[in-house]
Amino acid sequence: MDLNALVAQASVILDAAAEPFLAGHRAESAVPKKGDDFATEVDLALERQITSALVEATGIGVHGEEFGGAAVDSPWVWVLDPIDGTFNYAAGSPMASILLALLHDGDPVAGLTWLPFTGERYTAVAGGPLMKNGTPQPSLAPTRLADALVGVGTFSADSRGRFPGRFRVALLENLSRVSSRLRMHGSTGIDLAYVADGILGGAVIFGGQVWDHAAGVALVRAAGGTVTTLAGEPWTPTSRSVLAGAPDAHAEILEILRSTGEPEDF
């Protein structure tokens, strides 16, 4: 596969999707999902539009957040999140993105993250470099956590699950003792793209699925950053958490995670 050619084809398709993405800002909930999650009609329409165009242009199947599709463990598959940050999108915040990754035997070998409201277009193929609006970006430099912005996911302090709210509060408290610059963007894709771009020194993603993670994983790796789960294990398409960071910053955050304790103890 010519990964650069595939990314070029996919870029044209995402550019075409940017116009309806912008036009649908503040779209209301259309499809209730698990918990308090939802999808808008724009999510559904964009997934249909992008999926159809990708299959026609590349001949590779698509697995989307809203409709599923080709198996994620296929030899080659596109993984699509038509609107990452749906709550932001529906509320009128510009912190929302389109995420697309190409997986080869479960490995994200290409990633595309479009931020239509800010005009930022990130792409990468395995081996790098990170491309921003078509321009190669420098590899990430070693970063001290004390000097960095850190992206963290949103949550309720009373939530349970794999990473209970009280664990998250304790972790943020410990992180804040080293970096007083924690940021909540409400979009996993934006957090990971901003780590790749050196805007954030690291990002702590408490949940999500492969369509939330894969594009950003490809971007961070291409930029020279490190990506694992919050437990420090290699990221895979079945992972339900992500820790991404620039050199050195990732190790510092992982040490703070481990010193905070086991999530199940909260």
Side-chain angles (χ1 to χ4, degrees):
M1 291 285 185
D2 184 337
L3 296 179
N4 286 302
L6 289 169
V7 166
Q9 290 174 303
S11 296
V12 172
I13 291 166
L14 294 194
D15 282 344
E19 183 176 346
F21 182 101
L22 292 168
H25 205 201
R26 292 185 180 272
E28 295 181 355
S29 169
V31 180
K33 295 164 69 173
K34 184 179 179 181
D36 59 356
D37 199 6
F38 63 87
T40 70
E41 288 290 356
V42 185
D43 287 90
L44 307 181
L46 283 177
E47 185 161 318
R48 293 188 187 101
Q49 174 183 329
I50 296 169
T51 296
S52 176
L54 282 170
V55 172
E56 181 177 353
T58 70
I60 298 172
V62 179
H63 185 96
E65 176 181 6
E66 308 305 338
F67 298 115
V72 172
D73 60 358
S74 300
W76 292 93
V77 62
W78 294 105
V79 177
L80 170 66
D81 186 346
I83 302 179
D84 181 61
T86 302
F87 276 91
N88 289 348
Y89 185 81
S93 166
M95 292 287 97
S97 55
I98 305 173
L99 309 179
L100 180 66
L102 181 63
L103 271 60
H104 177 46
D105 293 331
D107 185 34
V109 294
L112 302 90
T113 297
W114 257 230
L115 284 66
F117 294 115
T118 61
E120 295 164 305
R121 301 159 71 251
Y122 294 98
T123 65
V125 300
L130 175 73
M131 305 291 288
K132 181 177 182 180
N133 294 340
T135 302
Q137 302 300 297
S139 295
L140 294 172
T143 302
R144 295 176 62 249
L145 190 58
D147 300 328
L149 301 178
V150 179
V152 294
T154 57
F155 63 93
S156 163
D158 295 325
S159 65
R160 300 303 303 166
R162 186 177 295 105
F163 299 103
R166 297 299 173 186
F167 170 79
R168 303 185 193 197
V169 170
L171 174 62
L172 265 60
E173 179 180 341
N174 292 338
L175 281 170
S176 74
R177 293 194 171 100
V178 181
S179 171
S180 60
R181 303 173 181 88
L182 305 183
R183 299 290 184 266
M184 285 187 179
H185 295 118
S187 166
T188 295
I190 289 176
D191 278 345
L192 293 175
Y194 280 3
V195 171
D197 195 15
I199 296 169
L200 298 176
V204 179
I205 312 299
F206 293 113
Q209 304 278 348
V210 62
W211 49 78
D212 302 299
H213 301 163
V217 168
L219 298 182
V220 174
R221 287 177 176 174
T226 302
V227 183
T228 63
T229 67
L230 296 191
E233 299 166 345
W235 183 90
T236 72
T238 61
S239 297
R240 295 296 174 262
S241 68
V242 180
L243 172 59
D248 295 349
H250 178 279
E252 285 191 73
I253 298 173
L254 184 58
E255 179 58 33
I256 293 171
L257 271 160
R258 289 171 171 165
S259 67
T260 299
E262 296 299 325
E264 55 266 29
D265 293 338
F266 287 79

